[in-house]
Amino acid sequence: QSVLTQPPSVSAAPGQKVTISCSGSSSNIGNNYVSWYQQLPGTAPKLLIYGNNKRPSGIPDRFSGSKSGTSATLGITGLQTGDEADYYCGTWDTSLHVVFGGGTKLTVL
Amino acid sequence: EVQLVESGGGLVQPGGSLRLSCAASGFIFNNYDMHWVRQATGKGLEWVSTIGPHGDTYYSGSVKGRFTISRENAKNSLYLQMNSLRAGDTAVYYCARLGGTWGALDSWGQGTLVTVSS
């Protein structure tokens, strides 16, 4: 059972938009920055969003992040088949431990 | 270019020990917190342990008392000593760098597979 709650799966057609939610508590998301990670099949996770809504160099602006209270959301617009991956949210808790969501599998239909 | 390369994984019997290594390059290693994160096959990411630049350490409840994280800054290397291994420790183990002040793991290695089985 993961500390942060994500939907197990989401799907949408190419070119469409999808959002992935991440729910936590005041002990984690409520008082810390949220990051998002993309894990393509068979590869290591890759940082997608940091500081709630910032994109590392090289990440297209089709990817966006937001946070409100104890929840965060990842948005992906202009979906491409290459976006099919598992997406994880992550943050810290009051014990200075990293916590992750259970992951969301994105299918581009 | 930041690179993290794990090694040391393999097959070990329950109750056995294994030491993982992570070789870092492309950045000033002793300026960064480093982490171990694991992923069982078909499962999500699970944080394992953190070590600060000067050796302060943190562990998840599932490994505390069995695993020891360490680093050798002169060799740009991170380690994870795993003792009293259990079947539930079977996973790919990734080392990752904590980048900047935003609390994000901005660089990851390719992972090394640890299998605990008789």
Side-chain angles (χ1 to χ4, degrees), chain A residues 35 37 39 44 54 88 92 97, chain B residues 39 47 59 102-105 109:
Chain A
S35 308
Y37 303 89
Q39 188 175 32
K54 297 167 182 53
Y88 295 90
W92 296 74
H97 294 179
Chain B
Q39 185 174 35
W47 172 77
Y59 298 94
W102 304 97
L105 301 177

Side-chain angles (χ1 to χ4, degrees), chain B residues 45-98:
Chain B
L45 303 175
E46 180 189 11
W47 172 77
V48 173
S49 184
T50 300
I51 186 166
H54 304 296
D56 45 321
T57 59
Y58 303 87
Y59 298 94
S60 71
S62 60
V63 307
K64 192 170 185 177
R66 300 188 299 123
F67 290 12
T68 303
I69 190 171
S70 62
R71 64 193 297 161
E72 197 166 351
N73 288 338
K75 292 187 175 182
N76 291 340
S77 293
L78 174 72
Y79 305 102
L80 186 68
Q81 177 67 43
M82 304 185 296
N83 298 331
S84 302
L85 282 162
R86 308 164 180 167
D89 296 317
T90 295
V92 173
Y93 285 72
Y94 297 101
C95 68
R97 185 184 82 166
L98 181 70

